[in-house]
Amino acid sequence: MGTLVRKKPRLGMPSLRGAVPALAVLAACLIAYATGSLRFLDDATSWQLGFSVLPQEPGDPYWRTLGISVLNTLVLAGVSIGAATVIGTIVALLAVTGHPLWSRLARGYVQLFRNMPLLVQALFWFAYVTHLPAPRRAFGFWGIHLSNRGLSLPVPTLAGWVVLGAALIGGAAALRASRAFEGRWVRRGAVVLTSMLFVAGLAKFALFAGQPAWDVPQLAGFNFDGGLTVATELIAMVIALSMFGSAYVAEIVRGGFATVPKGVIEAARALALPWWALEVKVRAPLALRAIILPLGSQYTVLVKATSIGLAVGFTDLFAVTMMSINQSGHTVALLCVMTTGFVVLNQVVVSAASALDRAFALPT
């Protein structure tokens, strides 16, 4: 009998087979533009978006308005994916602790938010946020204010960004120079923190003496002035997508931990490894290989689910496309543009997940 030899995976460029749908849709849109079907994108919209990451005016052309809607979708999807990953991982860790109370609470969380329609969650959180107290009676702490007008956050000024950059540079330099404290994490951390504070203070004193490092929102009339204001529709959609997605992420992470063989865990315990080393250096890396691809699929679901924002007035790519169709009447062309946007966004997520899966794959 012959010997079964497993081929080693090639480390060249990834195959473009998965990008064929995105390239096909993009080619169709380019053909439509060449034939004149998309020339209306240079016309002015004559209407303004309710929420936009970048400034948008009624005189802006359709292509710029649609581009801003793509950025709105990216911001919503990115924040929601990050929050869903963190919350879902915490819930999964509670589920695998073995403690009866924490396990039941984790299972109840998953069942509640996974079985509730996303549209219902979005409408509920939007109604809740819009019924918060007015700005004069807003919830506030450390310069952060939450009201029915949205979430007002302090942001760094030019001086603040310079100070933060100087602190990061000082910390990196101190970390590189503190190799003499290898193994002494307390002293090493103290050296890095002290260096960061010293360099940041020196930059603040030398370049921006007397200037504030933060732009803190202040109550002016019936609203807050200054800082960064997060719109109510964005807050509602982030909460809804985060809670909905975290329920699925929790099940994916829990299933990934369940794939780790018990023999590996018992062997690690036999080596007298502490619990944190067992979880971080043994269990988590093995579970990660079974988690990456399902997480990538769930992330694509969250990207497509941003279209639910139309129900609460969030101007994402789907909502702006629908408004553009009502105003211009170019239904087929605009649907083609919207399809291209979603296909490209999801293809980027899938490609990133596939690249991570190949990077963490066990050598054969």
Side-chain angles (χ1 to χ4, degrees):
M1 295 179 64
T3 304
L4 179 62
V5 179
R6 181 177 296 177
K7 295 182 180 180
K8 294 183 179 180
R10 291 179 295 179
L11 300 179
M13 293 296 292
S15 175
L16 294 177
R17 186 180 303 172
V20 170
L23 295 176
V25 175
L26 183 59
C29 287
L30 291 177
I31 294 174
Y33 183 79
T35 56
S37 301
L38 298 179
R39 292 180 182 175
F40 73 94
L41 293 176
D42 294 329
D43 299 337
T45 58
S46 301
W47 42 272
Q48 190 170 4
L49 298 179
F51 169 81
S52 60
V53 176
L54 299 178
Q56 189 267 341
E57 300 294 336
D60 292 338
Y62 278 97
W63 64 264
R64 188 177 189 278
T65 304
L66 290 169
I68 293 176
S69 69
V70 173
L71 292 179
N72 294 347
T73 302
L74 284 174
V75 170
L76 175 59
V79 175
S80 301
I81 286 173
T85 303
V86 174
I87 298 173
T89 303
I90 294 175
V91 173
L93 294 177
L94 294 177
V96 300
T97 54
H99 192 281
L101 177 59
W102 295 120
S103 298
R104 290 177 181 176
L105 289 176
R107 287 197 299 268
Y109 177 92
V110 171
Q111 294 299 326
L112 174 63
F113 289 101
R114 187 174 61 176
N115 295 321
M116 188 185 304
L118 180 57
L119 179 60
V120 176
Q121 297 187 42
L123 293 175
F124 171 81
W125 290 114
F126 182 72
Y128 180 82
V129 172
T130 53
H131 283 79
L132 288 173
R136 290 183 178 273
R137 295 182 289 112
F139 302 105
F141 57 94
W142 293 350
I144 302 174
H145 304 277
L146 178 62
S147 67
N148 57 6
R149 297 293 185 90
L151 181 64
S152 299
L153 303 171
V155 293
T157 60
L158 178 59
W161 287 115
V162 171
V163 169
L164 289 177
L168 291 177
I169 294 174
L175 185 62
R176 184 176 181 85
S178 62
R179 291 182 177 180
F181 299 97
E182 187 71 32
R184 306 171 186 176
W185 292 104
V186 176
R187 296 183 182 179
R188 193 173 184 177
V191 170
V192 173
L193 181 60
T194 303
S195 301
M196 290 177 66
L197 294 176
F198 175 76
V199 175
L202 184 63
K204 181 71 167 63
F205 177 78
L207 300 176
F208 299 96
Q211 298 186 17
W214 292 88
D215 183 12
V216 181
Q218 301 291 335
L219 183 62
F222 296 100
N223 206 346
F224 289 97
D225 186 21
L228 174 66
T229 301
V230 183
T232 55
E233 54 268 28
L234 177 58
I235 297 173
M237 284 303 301
V238 166
I239 297 176
L241 288 176
S242 300
M243 296 301 182
F244 178 79
S246 63
Y248 289 90
V249 170
E251 286 296 283
I252 293 172
V253 175
R254 185 190 63 80
F257 276 98
T259 61
V260 179
K262 293 183 179 180
V264 176
I265 302 300
E266 294 175 357
R269 289 174 179 171
L271 296 175
L273 290 178
W275 67 269
W276 63 268
L278 175 63
E279 298 294 335
V280 175
K281 296 185 178 181
V282 178
R283 198 174 184 182
L286 293 176
L288 190 62
R289 293 174 174 86
I291 291 174
I292 293 177
L293 288 181
L295 272 185
S297 299
Q298 182 58 37
Y299 290 163
T300 60
V301 172
L302 291 179
V303 172
K304 290 178 285 189
T306 55
S307 58
I308 298 294
L310 178 64
V312 298
F314 182 77
T315 50
D316 70 321
L317 177 57
F318 179 77
V320 173
T321 301
M322 294 298 102
M323 289 188 289
S324 300
I325 290 175
N326 293 332
Q327 296 293 328
S328 66
H330 296 275
T331 304
V332 177
L334 286 168
L335 288 178
C336 178
V337 173
M338 181 183 66
T339 303
T340 303
F342 277 112
V343 168
V344 171
L345 291 178
N346 283 282
Q347 187 60 48
V348 170
V349 175
V350 171
S351 300
S354 300
L356 284 176
D357 183 66
R358 290 191 298 268
F360 284 96
L362 291 174
T364 56

